[in-house]
Amino acid sequence: MVRRTEKSIKKLSRNRWWLTIPIVIFLSICTYQLLVVSMRGLIYYIMEKSLEEDYLRASDLMEMYEYAEKNNDINVKKFLGLNEREWFVTDREGTILDGDSENTCGENSAVLTKMDFISEITVHEDLESDVLYISNGGLAIRYKKLFKEIDHSFEETPETELPDEMKDLSEEEMDEHDLMLVSRNLEDRASFPVWAEIPMQDGRIFMAKIFFRVDAGDLTVVVIAVAVLFLFLFILFVYLVIRTIRLRRKQKKLTLLYHTDEITGGYNWKWMHAAGERYLKKKKTAKMNFAMLDIDFDQYRNYCICHTVEEGEKLLEKLDEVIGNNIAKKEMSAHYGSASFAVLLRYDREEELLERVKALIGSLEQAAPGQRVRFHVGIDLIPASLNENGRAVKRKKVDLETLYNNANAARMTLESKAESAVQIFDSGLVEEQKWNLSVQENQEKALRAEEFVVYYQPKYDPRTNMLSGAEALIRWNSPELGFVSPGRFIPIFENNGFITEIDHYMIRHVAADQKKWLDQGYHLVPVSVNVSRAHFAENDLAEQIRDMVDEAGTPHRYIEIELTESAFFDDKKALVSTIRKLKKYGFTVSMDDFGSGYSSLNSLKDMPLDVLKLDAEFFRGDVEDSRGEIVVSEAIRLAKSLHMRTVAEGVEIKKQVDFLADQGCDMIQGYYYAKPMPGEEYEVRMKTGFKDPEAEKMNEEMDRKTEEAGQSGEQAGESI
């Protein structure tokens, strides 16, 4: 979960707001190119249309030249001489044959093929023009000079009258010869010349200067087009800049919201996990010592019950503020969850760190005036990262979650403390964590391989010393972990839920053993099997037990279901229902560890139990304790009044046995009679059915002395 959270933080941190910057640059370049291409295309379109129109007029002039030459028409020749267009005629080799202008035609030529009415036009440079020129076989424009000339040509110019020679020609004469009078355009217009080749019928070439003309309307179109594209670019740029700023602000707000604790309003664990690992991995922090703290407000739930949840959250907010005020700038703190805080501190000496933590606890205790509160603090030390030469090297692997879990493991050892306390994580806790991990890694395999072994501890009637029952206990004979006592693995199974599988395993194996011994003719007594409180969340628990015992073929009266007193603190209605079902199916039901809790009498009132087991703590300590004897005797009397049998467990001395026998206790279970034993040894007990503890102790003492004498002889032989 933490790793997925870290990835989410990184993804949020890598939000692509910065991508808008290259996008803006890219779109700006594209728009600029579009602007240039569009402007160039528009100018070329205007130029080609203008050149084509002027080419057609020049063609008319060439036709007039051919007509006048063919018909020797003086008037036409006179008009040609008066026409302002420059022209000349050449043969196929380029020799000038006729003309009325200076030859400014350059050798560079280009063929224009995008005409509407003419397939193609061959043009040459005009040596006097520095705006239109031939480039790579095409007609090119010098834009700076073009716009400079346009600006200059559009200055207001006076109208130009027709020359006197043209005034002598009447309109009728022009119509008679079907001539086109091309007068000067009296409007403002800029003209840029090139020489055009116009083929004549006899193979000669009529060279005429034609013009690319730009008037105010053409310029307006270009300016509007440029303005529109520029405006589009500007709007796009402004939009992207505003969007970038908003996206960046939104990202910061989302990141802050993602890293903010809902209760305290300060930083949460997600922020500290990411920021803390980055900080510890920096080279400048490698030479520093750090400590990860797990600070737990131990009475938070009681505080909320006495006050309100809202008041409890306000106190957590205040505690977060107190912690923040007591740490340096480069140190970190965050609300981890419930009433716990994670704190990363820097320290030089361990003694100095402990003093600082105790001072911090003092400040936290003062945050709730008038209230007696306590804080438990677990610490995991993070030493400086140094190489063999004592030089600081970057921490390559830092797992803040593991560091906090270590601090939490140290803090958990303080749960029984009634005052504020501090515990540092050490190697012993590391070994305990490794052991827990090893147990969990091997539990499934061990169950399949039946590595769990059933041991039996007999129960005897203290008045007759006859075998009256037994309790099934579990041991683990692991090839990897060795022979493991239940105290080392049962708590782990209870925490991870595997205890339910163990309960099923025990019921099946005990039922199978009882069936085997019954078939072999042994005198059976009931064997009790513990059932964890975790099972009582299952509505069909009684049916499950019945079916497992029936599968082995064992009569139900030989199986006793033993419930721990803690199970009676759960759903009482469900528990009563299950007990009644078990009794209906013929099972005996007992309460284990009576007297270890604080609700036993209330439980006895409601639960239809058959057997009451007195907790072993009753029989430890001073055997002359009259108060303890009173409690035990009254508990036995109470059980008899409720028609329940009693079992005293943990009994180790004869005086306790005699006392219990006098009080009418039905059975005794403990080392005085027998310790837990494998099934083979228990079979021997069933054969005799009787136990003389005093005679057995004398035999055990003789066996022990014989064994010691034999070992001494072996050692003497070896020394010789």
Side-chain angles (χ1 to χ4, degrees):
M1 178 66 184
V2 174
R3 293 301 171 192
R4 291 198 297 268
T5 300
E6 184 177 351
K7 290 180 180 178
S8 300
I9 294 173
K10 289 181 178 179
K11 185 176 180 181
L12 184 61
S13 300
R14 293 197 304 264
N15 198 315
R16 294 169 177 78
W17 65 269
W18 55 267
L19 286 179
T20 54
I21 296 175
I23 291 175
V24 168
I25 297 174
F26 174 76
L27 291 178
S28 300
I29 294 174
C30 291
T31 308
Y32 173 76
Q33 293 294 332
L34 177 64
L35 181 65
V36 171
V37 171
S38 301
M39 183 182 68
R40 181 177 297 172
L42 185 60
I43 291 176
Y44 270 104
Y45 174 76
I46 296 172
M47 180 184 69
E48 289 171 355
K49 294 293 291 181
S50 177
L51 290 177
E52 184 178 19
E53 293 175 359
D54 211 30
Y55 181 85
L56 293 174
R57 296 190 185 95
S59 297
D60 291 340
L61 187 64
M62 182 273 294
E63 291 176 0
M64 282 191 283
Y65 176 82
E66 286 184 325
Y67 176 84
E69 188 178 45
K70 181 178 180 180
N71 298 298
N72 198 21
D73 190 320
I74 298 175
N75 289 330
V76 174
K77 287 183 178 182
K78 188 176 180 180
F79 174 77
L80 289 173
L82 296 174
N83 193 281
E84 291 187 349
R85 187 182 300 278
E86 298 180 26
W87 59 273
F88 59 88
V89 180
T90 67
D91 57 17
R92 291 186 176 88
E93 287 73 23
T95 304
I96 297 177
L97 304 176
D98 192 8
D100 64 348
S101 63
E102 295 182 3
N103 182 10
T104 59
C105 179
E107 295 183 359
N108 293 332
S109 63
V111 179
L112 307 181
T113 59
K114 297 180 181 180
M115 305 293 105
D116 293 336
F117 302 104
I118 306 170
S119 60
E120 64 180 32
I121 301 174
T122 301
V123 296
H124 293 257
E125 282 184 314
D126 182 66
L127 299 178
E128 294 181 346
S129 174
D130 57 357
V131 175
L132 300 180
Y133 65 100
I134 305 299
S135 174
N136 296 325
L139 192 60
I141 302 174
R142 294 185 176 92
Y143 287 96
K144 290 184 179 180
K145 294 186 177 181
L146 169 67
F147 287 104
K148 183 178 180 181
E149 291 292 333
I150 290 175
D151 292 340
H152 177 72
S153 300
F154 284 167
E155 294 177 358
E156 186 176 352
T157 57
E159 293 186 356
T160 305
E161 296 182 357
L162 290 175
D164 294 337
E165 294 82 357
M166 291 295 295
K167 294 179 180 179
D168 294 338
L169 293 177
S170 63
E171 293 184 5
E172 290 78 4
E173 290 177 324
M174 290 183 182
D175 291 338
E176 180 181 351
H177 295 287
D178 194 20
L179 297 177
M180 179 180 294
L181 176 61
V182 181
S183 61
R184 274 186 160 183
N185 191 345
L186 300 181
E187 297 179 358
D188 293 338
R189 173 174 289 194
S191 300
F192 310 101
V194 292
W195 290 91
E197 295 184 7
I198 306 175
M200 300 178 67
Q201 294 181 357
D202 56 3
R204 290 178 299 168
I205 298 175
F206 189 85
M207 300 292 295
K209 185 179 288 188
I210 62 176
F211 294 89
F212 159 46
R213 292 183 173 87
V214 180
D215 57 23
D218 297 331
L219 185 59
T220 301
V221 173
V222 174
V223 170
I224 291 175
V226 171
V228 169
L229 288 173
F230 180 80
L231 182 62
F232 170 76
L233 175 61
F234 178 76
I235 294 174
L236 179 64
F237 179 80
V238 172
Y239 167 75
L240 290 175
V241 169
I242 294 175
R243 186 175 182 275
T244 301
I245 295 172
R246 287 181 176 177
L247 190 60
R248 180 56 177 164
R249 288 179 177 175
K250 183 179 180 181
Q251 181 205 358
K252 287 184 176 180
K253 289 181 180 179
L254 288 175
T255 303
L256 182 61
L257 180 64
Y258 194 72
H259 288 155
T260 300
D261 185 76
E262 295 181 357
I263 296 176
T264 66
Y267 286 119
N268 58 21
W269 173 249
K270 299 184 186 73
W271 170 83
M272 186 170 177
H273 184 269
E277 287 192 358
R278 287 196 304 268
Y279 183 59
L280 291 177
K281 288 179 181 178
K282 290 182 178 181
K283 188 175 182 179
K284 65 180 181 180
T285 64
K287 60 183 178 182
M288 304 176 186
N289 297 324
F290 290 91
M292 172 58 71
L293 276 60
D294 173 27
I295 302 177
D296 182 68
F297 177 17
D298 192 53
Q299 301 162 306
Y300 177 66
R301 181 175 295 181
N302 292 341
Y303 186 90
C304 292
I305 292 174
C306 295
H307 299 80
T308 62
V309 174
E310 184 179 359
E311 289 296 320
E313 292 182 348
K314 287 182 178 179
L315 179 56
L316 290 179
E317 183 179 355
K318 191 173 182 180
L319 294 177
D320 183 73
E321 183 180 352
V322 170
I323 294 173
N325 293 334
N326 282 270
I327 63 175
K329 183 177 181 181
K330 294 298 182 180
E331 296 174 334
M332 303 178 184
S333 67
H335 182 215
Y336 186 85
S338 184
S340 296
F341 295 86
V343 182
L344 185 65
L345 298 180
R346 180 187 170 188
Y347 73 96
D348 295 323
R349 294 180 299 107
E350 189 173 320
E351 297 79 7
E352 171 197 340
L353 173 66
L354 290 175
E355 291 178 3
R356 186 178 176 194
V357 172
K358 290 177 181 178
L360 175 58
I361 291 176
S363 299
L364 292 172
E365 290 174 340
Q366 295 174 8
Q371 301 289 327
R372 188 172 180 272
V373 295
R374 65 172 178 259
F375 296 87
H376 291 163
V377 181
I379 303 175
D380 188 21
L381 302 178
I382 311 167
S385 179
L386 306 175
N387 60 16
E388 59 276 5
N389 298 323
R391 298 182 62 183
V393 293
K394 289 177 63 176
R395 297 180 178 91
K396 293 183 180 179
K397 293 183 179 179
V398 178
D399 188 348
L400 217 67
E401 185 72 23
T402 299
L403 296 173
Y404 181 80
N405 287 339
N406 291 342
N408 178 261
R411 195 263 303 167
M412 293 289 286
T413 63
L414 304 173
E415 287 189 334
S416 60
K417 300 287 185 181
E419 301 293 335
S420 297
V422 180
Q423 178 65 50
I424 296 178
F425 184 79
D426 58 19
S427 58
L429 293 173
V430 173
E431 293 302 320
E432 183 179 346
Q433 285 191 336
K434 289 182 179 178
W435 171 255
N436 290 347
L437 182 61
S438 298
V439 169
Q440 295 184 69
E441 287 177 346
N442 288 279
Q443 60 188 27
E444 293 287 352
K445 179 178 70 66
L447 191 69
R448 292 192 299 269
E450 296 197 352
E451 296 175 7
F452 297 106
V453 182
V454 180
Y455 270 49
Y456 294 89
Q457 187 172 26
K459 304 174 186 175
Y460 286 89
D461 186 334
R463 293 160 296 188
T464 63
N465 288 334
M466 295 298 296
L467 180 67
S468 302
E471 180 180 3
L473 303 169
I474 191 170
R475 301 292 186 270
W476 186 0
N477 190 10
S478 170
E480 292 83 9
L481 306 176
F483 194 83
V484 188
S485 63
R488 297 198 66 198
F489 62 85
I490 289 297
I492 300 174
F493 291 164
E494 288 176 341
N495 288 333
N496 64 20
F498 192 69
I499 190 66
T500 58
E501 299 292 334
I502 294 299
D503 289 347
H504 290 166
Y505 181 92
M506 291 292 290
I507 292 172
R508 289 193 178 97
H509 279 72
V510 170
D513 285 348
Q514 290 283 69
K515 174 61 175 173
K516 179 186 69 172
W517 293 326
L518 181 64
D519 294 342
Q520 292 176 357
Y522 288 99
H523 175 67
L524 294 188
V525 293
V527 176
S528 61
V529 184
N530 280 281
V531 175
S532 168
R533 63 188 295 183
H535 274 294
F536 287 92
E538 303 167 347
N539 295 327
D540 61 342
L541 174 60
E543 287 74 19
Q544 292 180 36
I545 295 173
R546 178 198 64 192
D547 294 343
M548 285 186 286
V549 175
D550 288 346
E551 185 180 352
T554 305
H556 294 181
R557 65 180 179 276
Y558 294 122
I559 301 296
E560 178 182 322
I561 304 303
E562 195 168 291
L563 311 176
T564 59
E565 188 186 19
S566 61
F568 295 81
F569 299 155
D570 296 326
D571 188 344
K572 186 179 292 186
K573 184 177 180 181
L575 185 60
V576 171
S577 174
T578 300
I579 292 174
R580 286 176 176 169
K581 286 181 182 179
L582 288 170
K583 290 172 64 65
K584 177 183 176 182
Y585 297 145
F587 296 101
T588 300
V589 183
S590 62
M591 177 195 284
D592 192 14
D593 299 332
F594 176 78
S596 63
Y598 301 96
S599 303
S600 300
L601 293 178
N602 187 45
S603 301
L604 292 178
K605 176 177 67 72
D606 298 320
M607 302 297 171
L609 300 168
D610 300 301
V611 180
L612 189 68
K613 291 187 71 175
L614 302 178
D615 186 65
E617 289 296 326
F618 281 124
F619 310 105
R620 295 194 178 103
D622 187 1
V623 296
E624 303 294 339
D625 184 3
S626 58
R627 294 173 64 88
E629 289 180 352
I630 294 172
V631 172
V632 171
S633 62
E634 291 300 321
I636 294 173
R637 189 176 65 83
L638 176 63
K640 288 184 177 297
S641 301
L642 295 174
H643 307 290
M644 299 170 63
R645 298 191 302 277
T646 54
V647 178
E649 58 179 343
V651 177
E652 299 177 351
I653 59 177
K654 188 176 188 320
K655 187 170 183 178
Q656 292 172 339
V657 174
D658 294 340
F659 168 75
L660 291 168
D662 292 341
Q663 300 302 319
C665 182
D666 297 294
M667 287 176 281
I668 289 179
Q669 174 186 345
Y671 276 24
Y672 177 78
Y673 281 104
K675 59 185 178 182
M677 59 189 67
E680 296 80 6
E681 293 185 26
Y682 179 65
E683 289 180 12
V684 177
R685 299 289 180 130
M686 285 192 295
K687 286 180 181 179
T688 61
F690 175 77
K691 174 71 174 177
D692 185 354
E694 294 299 327
E696 187 162 303
K697 281 187 178 181
M698 291 177 62
N699 292 333
E700 289 178 356
E701 184 68 19
M702 290 178 62
D703 292 340
R704 183 181 62 80
K705 290 181 179 180
T706 302
E707 184 179 351
E708 289 178 355
Q711 290 177 350
S712 299
E714 291 177 2
Q715 293 173 357
E718 290 175 0
S719 63
I720 294 174

